[in-house]
Amino acid sequence: MLRVACLLSLLVLIASPMLAITVGQVDTFDGGTDGWTSGGSNPNPPTAAAGVLTITATGGNGAGSRLIAFNRSQWAGDYAGVTSVEIEARNPNAVALQIRFAVNGPGGWWVTTAHQLAPGASFETFELSLRPEDLTGVSGATDVNATLAGVTEARLLHNPTVSRLGAVINAQLLVNMIEAKGTGSGTACTDDPEALCLRDDRFQVKVTWADFNGNTGTGMPVTQTADTGAFWFFDSQNLELIVKVLDGQSFNGNYWVFYGSLTSVSFTLTVTDLDTGNMVTYSNELGNFASQGDISALPGDP
C-alpha cells in the first residue's frame, strides 16, 4: 500500500503543470532576499536591507569567491511571454561589472549578453534580453526553448565571459529591483506613474534627464491624445519633451516614433512595445535641442 501511495504521489508530481513566470513579476527586496541565495557554504550570502539586495564576492579561492546569486523558487518555471528581465542595480566598486542573467532547464544552461554596469553612486535601470535568439548556450546546452519552458534555476552574475558561473572578484553588486518584462503586459504600462502610455497602452514611453549642474531625474508624463504625450522635468507647468507614436504599417510595416525637444538638457528616451518586447532608445547630448522622426522605429505586427 505504501508503494502504491508513493507511486501515486510521483505521478501527481509529474503531471503537475510548470509554474509560469508572469510578466510584471517583480522582486523589490522589501521583505528579504526574495529567494536569492548562493548556497549554504558561502560565508557571505546575499543579504537584503532597506529594499536592496547585496551580493558579495571576496575573490581568492573557494566558496564566496565569485560574484553570483541564484534563485530556484519564484524565478523557476515557464518563461512563455517573458522577453527580458529589467534590473535596477548599482556598482559600488572601482571597476565596471559585466552583469548577466542565466537560466537552466531541460535544454541546459543559457546566458544573456552582458550589460556593463559602470561604477557609480546612483542606481541604473537596464534590461537583459531573454529572447531565444539573444541567449548563448554553455556547458553543452542543447535546446533554448526547452529550457525557457521549464527553468529550474535562474542566476544573476558578473562575468566578462559568457558563463553560468560568476567571475572571481572582490566586489559587491547592489540590486534594487528585478522584474519580468515582455508580451502580455496588459496594464503594466499604466501601473508605472513615470511611464507615458500610448495607443491603448501598448507603447510605454519613459525618459531620464541630466541638467548642466549634474542633477538627474525622471521625466513625468502628461497624456495629450491617444498617440501623443509630453514630459515635464522640473515644473509640471513647463513641458520639456513631446512624443508621438504612429501606426505606419500600411506604408512600411513599422510603428513610427516622433519626438520634439523643448530643452537643451541631456535626456534618454525609451519607447517599448509591450506586445512584442521590442524597444528603441534615443539620446540627446547636453546643450543640444534634439528632435527626430523615426519611421523605422519598431517592427509592426507579425
Side-chain angles (χ1 to χ4, degrees):
M1 182 64 72
L2 180 59
R3 228 181 242 185
V4 172
C6 290
L7 179 59
L8 288 174
S9 297
L10 179 60
L11 290 174
V12 169
L13 181 62
I14 293 173
S16 297
M18 177 67 69
L19 295 176
I21 308 302
T22 58
V23 172
Q25 172 180 309
V26 60
D27 290 349
T28 57
F29 311 110
D30 292 322
T33 63
D34 288 339
W36 290 93
T37 183
S38 57
S41 60
N42 185 357
N44 300 295
T47 59
V52 175
L53 178 73
T54 300
I55 305 171
T56 301
T58 54
N61 298 307
S65 61
R66 300 176 182 273
L67 193 58
I68 185 171
F70 59 78
N71 192 295
R72 297 169 181 164
S73 51
Q74 76 271 26
W75 290 94
D78 186 351
Y79 278 60
V82 176
T83 56
S84 66
V85 286
E86 183 177 271
I87 299 170
E88 185 177 349
R90 181 168 81 85
N91 176 2
N93 312 287
V95 296
L97 296 176
Q98 304 293 329
I99 306 302
R100 301 178 187 270
F101 197 84
V103 290
N104 188 31
W109 281 101
W110 295 85
V111 184
T112 67
T113 299
H115 172 82
Q116 179 167 301
L117 187 61
S122 301
F123 280 87
E124 177 184 339
T125 301
F126 56 93
E127 290 193 36
L128 299 175
S129 175
L130 291 173
R131 293 179 178 277
E133 62 269 25
D134 295 329
L135 296 175
T136 301
V138 297
S139 304
T142 57
D143 190 335
V144 63
N145 292 308
T147 289
L148 291 174
V151 170
T152 56
E153 180 179 323
R155 293 184 174 184
L156 182 63
L157 58 96
H158 151 73
N159 201 322
T161 303
V162 180
S163 175
R164 63 183 178 85
L165 302 176
V168 174
I169 189 174
N170 185 354
Q172 285 187 322
L173 174 65
L174 308 182
V175 185
N176 193 46
M177 179 271 293
I178 304 174
E179 181 177 355
K181 310 287 282 187
T183 59
S185 295
T187 60
C189 182
T190 57
D191 289 342
D192 188 342
E194 297 177 347
L196 175 66
C197 304
L198 301 178
R199 305 196 65 83
D200 295 323
D201 301 335
R202 172 171 175 172
F203 294 91
Q204 181 188 70
V205 186
K206 302 184 72 172
V207 61
T208 57
W209 56 264
D211 67 14
F212 290 88
N213 296 319
N215 300 311
T216 61
T218 301
M220 300 306 297
V222 179
T223 301
Q224 305 288 324
T225 66
D227 57 22
T228 304
F231 289 91
W232 60 269
F233 296 171
F234 313 105
D235 183 339
S236 61
Q237 301 303 307
N238 183 19
L239 300 179
E240 306 286 354
L241 185 65
I242 297 176
V243 184
K244 176 185 290 186
V245 177
L246 297 176
D247 185 351
Q249 294 181 93
S250 61
F251 180 78
N252 66 351
N254 296 317
Y255 284 96
W256 302 355
V257 174
F258 294 82
Y259 68 91
S261 173
L262 308 176
T263 180
S264 60
V265 304
S266 71
F267 63 80
T268 299
L269 174 70
T270 302
V271 183
T272 304
D273 183 345
L274 296 179
D275 280 1
T276 65
N278 292 318
M279 178 172 57
V280 62
T281 300
Y282 308 94
S283 296
N284 179 56
E285 294 183 1
L286 198 65
N288 288 343
F289 288 90
S291 298
Q292 185 173 350
D294 185 358
I295 63 171
S296 300
L298 295 163
D301 302 324

